[in-house]
Amino acid sequence: MFKLETMIYASEDGTSRVFTLNPDLQKQLTDLAMQHPEVCHRKAKGEAGGVTYQVRGAVLAIQPVRGS
């Protein structure tokens, strides 16, 4: 078993950047971006499988994500 890192950077302007290597969390963020593109969108996808999303004007609720 290995750790899948997630980092959240919150800005004073009400936006947050979320970088994650966790595929389950990536799917949740992708779904959020599809449903609410005005709130969330993908900024970058890294070579190592990490993805960065920007979330605007929303409260982030952090809950454990279990692998499939």
Side-chain angles (χ1 to χ4, degrees), residues 5-42:
E5 184 174 61
T6 297
M7 295 181 279
I8 301 171
Y9 302 94
S11 299
E12 292 179 6
D13 65 0
T15 63
S16 299
R17 292 180 68 159
V18 180
F19 168 83
T20 186
L21 292 166
N22 185 313
D24 291 331
L25 182 53
Q26 288 177 10
K27 181 175 179 348
Q28 288 183 11
L29 288 166
T30 298
D31 292 346
L32 178 63
M34 289 174 48
Q35 294 172 10
H36 301 284
E38 72 283 359
V39 173
C40 179
H41 67 277
R42 189 171 78 185

